[in-house]
């Protein structure tokens, strides 16, 4: 097997990505740990994989998510250290929200930085995820009392690229009204508001402003879920959805216990939103985080007051939502559209391209300054 796929937290989007890669890359082997006790997976999974991944001369490329401490694994297994090492970020721990800075466990973000330093290629599911990680690095290391490392973001940035999390969308054409099908057929969707190339869970709340015929409004692991689709509006809820990522101050989803202090949301790739839009929902998203990368300005709001006014307007005129075809081409984020890029980054050609780019950056940086430096050229 030439491609070694390692997932220390085999569940949700992490599982979906590994399964898609394994199914579509013939020469691949998969080693995983169950999606339980996330903190312990981040702390100790390298030791488990050290003992349970057999040695093989056939391995050429290793791909792991950032839950794994890749630096520990390659130190414990030098044979794996010789492979081309690709790290994929579903989320990043440098900006993962906490109520107080003192509550942040430094070790998790530190592990991710170390993993980036030993990786040959670092992939992020969105520009927001990548930039928030790189630009937060200097402030993150201020927690060290003295002898702090410098310019680590410059060392890592030259390895980084955005490669969206790929989605397998269900075929919902038989559920969609004719005007939305026509729009899809013409291919006239806008891909994003900014033109920028682009899990923790990013589910939203479906609010139906008026009743209509029973169609599809969302998806599940099994496929489309029937509900009142034509009038469905997708809006961001003020708290997290998944219980294992919900801070103690957050009430359970759907509870009404009065005002509660809420930490910021951590949405770095909203694949559940894209699934819902693919099924015909109208999105209303915060003008923040990852959303402006994907959704044009007409689907964004800046304040709760703006959101309230938009929802009131839709309640008065539900036909606006029913007749609207969302200007986002969800096909750009499908597995079919992204498959070749994943194959390329896991190929021998992808290795040589990365090495050449890093060598050029290092050579240009040295000649420009007359001596080696931590900062490569071409930093975006």
């Amino acid at each position: 097997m030439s491609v070694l796929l390692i997932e220390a937290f085999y569940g949700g989007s992490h599982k979906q990505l590994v399964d898609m890669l394994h199914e579509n890359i013939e020469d691949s082997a998969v080693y995983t740990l169950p999606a339980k006790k996330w903190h312990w997976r981040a702390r100790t999974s390298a030791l488990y994989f050290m003992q349970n991944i057999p040695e093989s001369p056939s391995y050429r490329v290793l791909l792991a998510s950032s839950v794994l401490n890749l630096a520990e694994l390659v130190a414990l297994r030098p044979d794996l250290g010789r492979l081309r090492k690709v790290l994929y970020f579903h989320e990043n721990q440098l900006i993962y929200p906490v109520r107080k800075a003192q509550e942040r466990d430094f070790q998790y973000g530190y592990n991710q930085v170390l993993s980036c330093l030993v990786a040959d290629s670092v992939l992020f599911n969105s520009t927001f995820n990548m930039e928030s990680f790189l630009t937060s690095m200097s402030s993150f290391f201020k927690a060290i009392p003295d002898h702090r490392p410098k310019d680590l973001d410059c060392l890592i940035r030259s390895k980084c690229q955005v490669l969206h999390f790929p989605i397998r969308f269900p075929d919902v054409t038989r559920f969609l009204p004719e005007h939305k099908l026509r729009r899809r057929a013409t291919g006239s969707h806008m891909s994003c508001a900014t033109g920028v190339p682009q899990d923790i869970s990013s589910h939203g709340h479906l609010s139906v402003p008026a009743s209509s015929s029973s169609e599809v409004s969302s998806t599940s692991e099994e496929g489309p879920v029937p509900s009142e689709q034509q009038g469905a509006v997708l809006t961001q809820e003020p708290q997290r959805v998944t219980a294992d990522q919900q801070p103690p101050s957050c009430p359970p989803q759907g509870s009404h216990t009065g005002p509660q202090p809420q930490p910021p949301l951590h949405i770095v790739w909203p694949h559940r939103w894209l699934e819902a839009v693919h099924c015909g929902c109208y999105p209303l998203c915060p003008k923040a985080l990852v959303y402006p990368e994907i959704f044009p300005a007409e689907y964004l709001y800046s304040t709760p007051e703006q959101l309230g006014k938009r929802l009131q307007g839709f309640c008065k005129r539900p036909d606006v939502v029913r007749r609207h075809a969302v200007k986002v081409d969800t096909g750009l984020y499908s597995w079919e559209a992204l498959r070749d890029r994943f194959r390329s980054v896991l190929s021998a050609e992808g290795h040589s391209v990365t090495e050449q780019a890093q060598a050029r950056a290092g050579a240009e940086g040295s000649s420009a300054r007359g001596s080696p430096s931590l900062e490569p050229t071409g930093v975006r």
Side-chain angles (χ1 to χ4, degrees), residues 116-188:
C116 289
L117 290 170
V118 303
D120 299 294
S121 182
V122 184
L123 310 177
F124 292 84
N125 56 5
S126 70
T127 300
F128 171 74
N129 195 8
M130 180 177 73
E131 290 299 330
S132 63
F133 180 76
L134 293 171
T135 58
S136 298
M137 211 166 287
S138 59
S139 60
F140 177 78
F141 280 104
K142 288 181 180 179
I144 301 176
D146 55 14
H147 300 287
R148 299 167 185 151
K150 297 179 180 179
D151 300 326
L152 295 181
D153 57 322
C154 297
L155 280 174
I156 293 170
R157 186 179 281 274
S158 62
K159 308 177 184 184
C160 296
Q161 61 177 299
V162 174
L163 187 50
H164 301 304
F165 174 81
I167 305 170
R168 276 185 168 156
F169 293 108
D171 182 2
V172 295
T173 53
R174 66 192 180 95
F175 297 103
L176 294 177
E178 184 179 348
H179 68 280
K180 295 189 178 184
L181 289 175
R182 282 200 304 269
R183 178 133 194 153
R184 288 191 179 185
T186 60
S188 60

Side-chain angles (χ1 to χ4, degrees), residues 46-98:
L47 197 57
Y48 171 84
F49 290 122
M50 177 202 75
Q51 294 184 320
N52 288 275
I53 297 176
E55 292 191 23
S56 171
S58 301
Y59 296 143
R60 297 289 180 269
V61 181
L62 179 159
L63 180 140
S65 77
S66 60
V67 175
L68 172 70
N69 188 331
L70 186 59
E72 287 184 348
L73 180 62
V74 300
L76 294 166
R77 286 286 300 272
D79 60 309
L80 300 181
R82 291 189 286 270
L83 308 181
R84 180 178 179 234
K85 298 170 288 296
V86 180
L87 190 68
Y88 193 87
F89 274 76
H90 292 268
E91 48 77 31
N92 81 77
Q93 288 296 315
L94 268 60
I95 64 161
Y96 202 86
V98 292

Side-chain angles (χ1 to χ4, degrees), residues 127-128 164 190-198 287 289-297 300 327-328 333:
T127 300
F128 171 74
H164 301 304
M190 294 170 57
S191 61
C192 65
T194 62
V196 177
Q198 335 262 266
K287 192 177 182 179
L289 306 171
V290 68
Y291 298 108
E293 291 184 37
I294 304 166
F295 298 103
L300 305 177
K327 300 170 186 174
V328 174
Y333 310 108

Side-chain angles (χ1 to χ4, degrees), residues 9-115:
F9 196 76
Y10 186 60
S13 59
H14 294 237
K15 179 181 185 299
Q16 291 172 34
L17 178 60
V18 167
D19 288 349
M20 278 188 280
L21 294 175
H22 185 46
E23 291 168 10
N24 289 272
I25 298 175
E26 293 181 0
D27 297 329
S28 62
V30 178
Y31 292 88
T32 67
L33 280 168
K36 297 187 296 184
K37 305 183 187 302
W38 178 90
H39 301 87
W40 286 106
R41 299 292 186 252
R43 292 181 183 122
T44 65
S45 59
L47 197 57
Y48 171 84
F49 290 122
M50 177 202 75
Q51 294 184 320
N52 288 275
I53 297 176
E55 292 191 23
S56 171
S58 301
Y59 296 143
R60 297 289 180 269
V61 181
L62 179 159
L63 180 140
S65 77
S66 60
V67 175
L68 172 70
N69 188 331
L70 186 59
E72 287 184 348
L73 180 62
V74 300
L76 294 166
R77 286 286 300 272
D79 60 309
L80 300 181
R82 291 189 286 270
L83 308 181
R84 180 178 179 234
K85 298 170 288 296
V86 180
L87 190 68
Y88 193 87
F89 274 76
H90 292 268
E91 48 77 31
N92 81 77
Q93 288 296 315
L94 268 60
I95 64 161
Y96 202 86
V98 292
R99 288 172 299 177
K100 299 178 181 178
Q102 305 93 295
E103 295 179 357
R104 183 179 301 281
D105 191 320
F106 182 85
Q107 192 66 42
Y108 302 128
Y110 181 66
N111 289 353
Q112 291 187 330
V113 173
L114 292 181
S115 294

Side-chain angles (χ1 to χ4, degrees), residues 265-282:
L265 289 165
H266 182 66
I267 311 298
V268 297
W269 186 244
H271 62 279
R272 300 303 183 196
W273 282 66
L274 286 167
E275 289 173 346
V277 168
H278 176 80
C279 294
C281 290
Y282 184 106

